[in-house]
Amino acid sequence: MLAPLEENAVTEIVIAKAIEIHRLLGPGLFEKTYEECLAYELRREGLAVEQQKHLPLIYRDVKLSDGYRVDLLVNDAVMVELKTVEVITALHASQILTYLRLSDKRVGLILNFNSVTLRSGIRRVVNLHKKNSADSVPPRTPTIIPP
């Protein structure tokens, strides 16, 4: 079995493969098309990819088995949300930050395939809040790091 890759190495592979797919297919297709192609390419690279991963949500004393769903979870470390929208908004970034916080993951990518060049449609979001840290306070706005 391969040694686990660091989050940064995983995000580099995801971004490179997404750019390759966008160059071959271009914009204008359904989100699901890009998801299937990206999952295929990432698996060819030897990464573990879970598509439409259902994640539980615990609210007070209630556990919802299907609290939310992430498009791709790569190597159980990097969440990838695929979009085919005019522009990535603060709401998109807040959504993935919520997913990261609820799952105690650190890094997420938003990939908007509805752009002239994919490079302009990439946002990296970092969760600075760790669930297990009693004295940390979650940030109110996502930390977005340009590619």
Side-chain angles (χ1 to χ4, degrees), residues 2 5 7 21 26 48 58 61 70 72 121-122 140:
L2 296 172
L5 295 174
E7 294 159 339
I21 291 164
I58 299 172
D61 298 331
V70 63
L72 298 174
I122 299 172
R140 289 183 135 337

Side-chain angles (χ1 to χ4, degrees), residues 5 25 35 52 54 58 75 97 147:
L5 295 174
L25 298 178
E35 178 188 320
Q52 296 300 315
H54 293 265
I58 299 172
N75 273 23
L97 179 64

Side-chain angles (χ1 to χ4, degrees), residues 2-127:
L2 296 172
L5 295 174
E6 291 183 18
E7 294 159 339
N8 288 340
V10 172
T11 60
E12 285 178 18
I13 295 168
V14 170
I15 290 170
K17 289 300 171 184
I19 289 172
E20 181 180 317
I21 291 164
H22 191 266
R23 282 186 181 145
L24 290 170
L25 298 178
L29 303 174
F30 291 120
E31 185 179 299
K32 186 70 175 166
T33 303
Y34 298 112
E35 178 188 320
E36 292 292 336
C37 293
L38 185 55
Y40 169 80
E41 290 293 343
L42 295 176
R43 288 183 182 117
R44 284 187 61 203
E45 290 293 315
L47 299 177
V49 180
E50 296 177 82
Q51 292 178 253
Q52 296 300 315
K53 171 85 173 163
H54 293 265
L55 296 169
L57 170 69
I58 299 172
Y59 176 76
R60 299 188 188 268
D61 298 331
V62 179
K63 181 177 180 180
L64 306 169
S65 60
D66 190 17
Y68 59 107
R69 183 174 37 197
V70 63
D71 291 339
L72 298 174
L73 181 60
V74 184
N75 273 23
D76 197 37
V78 176
M79 289 188 170
V80 180
E81 280 296 308
L82 303 173
K83 302 292 181 195
T84 55
V85 295
E86 287 294 319
V87 65
I88 296 173
T89 67
L91 183 59
H92 295 127
S94 293
Q95 174 192 12
I96 197 167
L97 179 64
T98 298
Y99 290 0
L100 291 168
R101 286 183 39 227
L102 290 172
S103 63
D104 211 23
K105 304 285 184 217
R106 203 173 83 75
V107 177
L109 291 172
I110 304 170
L111 304 175
N112 183 17
F113 282 88
N114 194 32
S115 53
V116 176
T117 63
L118 186 66
R119 213 174 277 286
S120 64
I122 299 172
R123 297 294 177 273
R124 186 173 188 262
V125 179
V126 178
N127 173 22

